[in-house]
Amino acid sequence: MSPHTTPTISVNAELGDRFDEILTPEALHFLARLHAQFAGRRQERLNDRMLRRKSIENGRDLRFLPETASVRENTEWRVAGAGPGLEDRRVEITGPTDRKMTINALNSGARAWLADLEDATSPTWSNVIGGQVNLFDAIRGQVDYTSDDGRQYRVETDQTPTIIMRPRGWHLVEKHLAFTDRAGHRRAASASLTDFGLYFFHNAQALIETGRGPYFYLPKLENHLEARLWDDVFTFSENAIGIPHGTIRATILIETIPAAFEMDEILYELRDHAAGLNAGRWDYIFSLIKNYRDRGRSFVLPDRDQITMTVPFMRAYTELLVQTCHKRGAYAIGGMSAFIPNRRDPEVTERALAKVADDKRREAGDGFDGTWVAHPGLIDTARAEFDAVLGDRPNQLERTRPEVEVTAAQLVDLSSLEPRVTDAGVRSNVSIALRYIESWLRGVGAAALDNLMEDAATAEISRSQLWQWIHQGIVTEQGTRITREHVGHLLHEVLREQDRSLSDRFDDAENIVRMVALEDDFPTFLTIPAYAHYLVDQPSARESKAQMAAA
């Protein structure tokens, strides 16, 4: 093949209903341009991640970078800040982009909707492109839905939340699209560039015309060079369609432990496009376990339900985040509350809502400008706590928190956290990992488990704790040594307890849990092998029932 081949994106899958409206020749050409410009740099950044993880594994501690001290010490620079429609972010609802969730989010009364193509979406081909169709319709006020039982769902308010789309992270690929570069090399497309590119190409101008704009949440960043890459993607894309520089706004999730040491630098690289930072607390815990899993028992965490936002290392991280944001004119957005109100058990709901209120009261009191909830039933509770602090103000950027002083050691200091591991905690991790992965394999990335709306971060914490407990030879408070054999036995027990059907994916889910929690190798994300080897589009619920009846 000629060394001067024109870069292309080709589709390696069947087109579903209305997919041709998203995968147009013009949109694919734009994706090809993005990949030609940035695919090589993406791979460089992923290589850097691998080297940093190896460095930490070998005993080198994370630190604030001496070479970027001037960025941190310069008190003059500020970020672009809130774009139109992002001025007040006191409560944001999160969720996947399936048709029904899209309508529920738009009707929710939240200030913003994190339309999630990442951890809350199982990236089947139908979910990825179907989600783009749903967002396309939502932006144009033409989204509705009819359920299998004939019920009609439609947007019933003019005061819809501002949409902030979260693309998949740099580490993921989209195997249904192939990029052929100038040298003729063919490889899977970047999931990040795919999600961003299709959404931006089709919707940027329409969003501007509604008085808002193309806004994004950026997941899983680990350093300021990854932020620089995103900033260059944004500038290239703005130029490509002829909109002003800085029209795009991004909120960056600080959900990896390396990123916590470079918050100033990340904002600086994205300063013309940055709106704020978010405390992505569950992925942050997973990142700490992943990076320090081989560093001895001093880095072993207790049962997941004991890791609250008030423990010292989490407290240090969130305090630093608020201070960094407000020093730079960026919004600080708090963490997720994932409880699902239970109509059948009002007492459970009352206790859970009290915990949600406590959590949001702490965030508002600490200076956060907004927060996340996963269910519409939590919005009033969260809003009340932020209303009590903010009043009529859209934010509290004036609270620069000069009293906060956080050292590098404090961000990874677990010394005051007693590593209490219990038999119940081990079993819970096995159960959550198995049941979430099974749901994910069926195409459901936001899974209702034990009165919580769980996404991939929960399964990552669960399986990474199991791996670490096994490799550190942890013994539970009840005297049980955590071994591969013990966890494997629990996995078999939990599997037997599930209600099985002909269309479930529990057998595949068990294989994945064994792969990502019980092997010597530690996959950096469980979704990488699961996506490559196990995830396929599933028949609709109606088709599944028909197949079961025929069987």
Side-chain angles (χ1 to χ4, degrees):
M1 189 174 287
S2 167
H4 302 294
T5 299
T6 300
T8 60
I9 291 284
S10 55
V11 181
N12 300 325
E14 294 183 4
L15 298 186
D17 183 36
R18 298 182 60 196
F19 281 24
D20 59 327
E21 297 178 32
I22 301 300
L23 300 169
T24 63
E26 296 81 6
L28 294 179
H29 177 66
F30 179 66
L31 286 188
R33 291 180 64 195
L34 284 177
H35 280 77
Q37 190 76 18
F38 300 110
R41 286 177 59 189
R42 165 187 173 266
Q43 190 57 55
E44 290 173 2
R45 300 286 72 79
L46 294 179
N47 292 341
D48 288 346
R49 287 186 182 184
M50 181 179 62
L51 293 174
R52 176 174 282 190
R53 280 194 298 271
K54 182 60 67 174
S55 174
I56 297 171
E57 180 182 325
N58 290 336
R60 183 179 180 129
D61 288 327
L62 290 165
R63 58 178 180 162
F64 297 111
L65 302 179
E67 60 268 32
T68 56
S70 61
V71 171
R72 296 192 300 276
E73 294 165 1
N74 184 337
T75 60
E76 300 302 316
W77 64 269
R78 297 289 186 274
V79 301
L86 288 179
E87 297 89 353
D88 190 325
R89 303 177 62 175
R90 67 188 68 198
V91 183
E92 301 183 355
I93 192 167
T94 71
T97 55
D98 62 86
R99 197 77 170 179
K100 186 177 179 182
M101 177 60 200
T102 296
I103 294 170
N104 288 342
L106 295 177
N107 282 328
S108 69
R111 295 285 186 166
W113 170 37
L114 188 161
D116 194 5
L117 288 176
E118 202 228 5
D119 272 1
T121 289
S122 169
T124 63
W125 180 233
S126 57
N127 282 349
V128 168
I129 306 301
Q132 295 277 355
V133 171
N134 296 334
L135 290 170
F136 182 95
D137 287 348
I139 290 163
R140 290 159 180 82
Q142 59 191 35
V143 61
D144 55 20
Y145 172 73
T146 302
S147 64
D148 287 345
D149 60 7
R151 285 188 289 179
Q152 301 285 326
Y153 297 86
R154 59 180 57 86
V155 179
E156 298 174 347
T157 176
D158 294 331
Q159 303 298 317
T160 57
T162 298
I163 297 173
I164 312 174
M165 195 275 274
R166 177 162 70 169
R168 285 170 286 175
W170 283 128
H171 59 289
L172 296 170
V173 299
E174 176 48 65
K175 64 184 179 183
H176 301 96
L177 297 176
F179 168 57
T180 302
D181 65 18
R182 290 185 178 88
H185 300 132
R186 181 183 170 93
R187 63 185 70 91
S190 158
S192 297
L193 294 178
T194 295
D195 295 345
F196 164 82
L198 292 174
Y199 179 79
F200 177 85
F201 180 82
H202 287 295
N203 302 308
Q205 195 61 54
L207 286 162
I208 294 168
E209 291 169 2
T210 67
R212 294 173 176 175
Y215 303 145
F216 300 90
Y217 262 110
L218 301 182
K220 307 294 190 290
L221 266 66
E222 295 200 4
N223 59 56
H224 69 283
L225 296 180
E226 294 182 17
R228 182 182 299 171
L229 175 56
W230 267 120
D231 193 71
D232 289 344
V233 169
F234 292 162
T235 297
F236 176 91
S237 300
E238 289 166 337
N239 290 336
I241 69 168
I243 61 176
H245 178 72
T247 301
I248 293 172
R249 288 291 194 276
T251 304
I252 305 93
L253 290 107
I254 302 301
E255 57 182 349
T256 69
I257 189 71
F261 289 81
E262 299 186 35
M263 286 191 267
D264 264 310
E265 293 89 336
I266 287 169
L267 284 176
Y268 182 78
E269 295 293 345
L270 280 157
R271 61 193 179 278
D272 290 346
H273 296 107
L277 301 178
N278 167 269
R281 51 198 184 189
W282 300 125
D283 272 298
Y284 188 79
I285 294 168
F286 162 57
S287 176
L288 183 126
I289 299 169
K290 173 168 63 177
N291 281 282
Y292 285 86
R293 67 188 186 277
D294 285 321
R295 289 282 296 272
R297 294 196 176 195
S298 62
F299 288 98
V300 171
L301 290 173
D303 289 356
R304 182 168 70 105
D305 61 6
Q306 297 176 38
I307 312 170
T308 69
M309 295 307 295
T310 60
V311 300
F313 81 95
M314 294 296 286
R315 187 81 178 144
Y317 144 67
T318 55
E319 293 272 83
L320 181 60
L321 187 147
V322 172
Q323 182 193 60
T324 303
C325 282
H326 289 182
K327 180 172 60 177
R328 305 304 182 184
Y331 282 43
I333 307 300
M336 172 72 78
S337 289
F339 175 71
I340 303 172
N342 188 334
R343 295 178 181 177
R344 298 179 181 178
D345 196 334
E347 290 186 9
V348 169
T349 296
E350 184 178 356
R351 289 195 299 271
L353 288 179
K355 291 181 179 178
V356 171
D358 287 344
D359 182 46
K360 303 314 178 188
R361 188 178 307 119
R362 175 191 50 77
E363 287 184 332
D366 286 347
F368 281 94
D369 304 289
T371 193
W372 281 4
V373 298
H375 191 279
L378 305 183
I379 290 175
D380 287 345
T381 299
R383 183 190 292 120
E385 299 304 330
F386 275 84
D387 285 350
V389 173
L390 293 177
D392 294 332
R393 296 175 300 157
N395 58 66
Q396 47 184 334
L397 292 178
E398 76 282 356
R399 291 191 59 194
T400 55
R401 303 297 308 276
E403 77 282 4
V404 171
E405 295 183 7
V406 175
T407 66
Q410 286 175 313
L411 289 173
V412 292
D413 181 12
L414 308 184
S415 60
S416 61
L417 188 60
E418 186 179 354
R420 294 182 61 246
V421 181
T422 67
D423 285 352
V426 178
R427 187 181 185 88
S428 174
N429 279 359
V430 171
S431 178
I432 290 293
L434 177 72
R435 289 185 293 151
Y436 178 81
I437 293 171
E438 193 277 333
S439 174
W440 189 87
L441 291 172
R442 285 187 289 103
V444 180
L449 303 175
D450 305 330
N451 291 321
L452 294 173
M453 188 64 75
E454 305 283 24
D455 66 13
T458 307
E460 291 285 25
I461 293 174
S462 297
R463 68 95 179 187
S464 61
Q465 282 198 309
L466 292 171
W467 192 97
Q468 187 184 40
W469 292 341
I470 289 169
H471 283 77
Q472 296 298 331
I474 299 301
V475 176
T476 70
E477 290 192 332
Q478 291 74 28
T480 305
R481 180 171 292 278
I482 305 173
T483 64
R484 286 189 180 90
E485 293 72 23
H486 175 64
V487 174
H489 176 71
L490 287 178
L491 183 58
H492 183 64
E493 281 188 358
V494 171
L495 184 62
R496 286 191 304 174
E497 294 169 356
Q498 305 308 309
D499 292 328
R500 302 297 300 270
S501 70
L502 293 177
S503 59
D504 75 44
R505 299 293 301 277
F506 278 111
D507 293 333
D508 289 333
E510 180 190 17
N511 290 337
I512 294 171
V513 173
R514 292 185 182 278
M515 179 193 311
V516 301
L518 302 185
E519 299 294 335
D520 285 336
D521 186 41
F522 184 91
T524 54
F525 293 94
L526 69 83
T527 48
I528 293 176
Y531 179 73
H533 301 296
Y534 289 95
L535 187 66
V536 295
D537 272 359
Q538 296 296 297
S540 69
R542 185 178 297 154
E543 291 170 337
S544 297
K545 292 175 183 176
Q547 291 171 2
M548 290 175 63

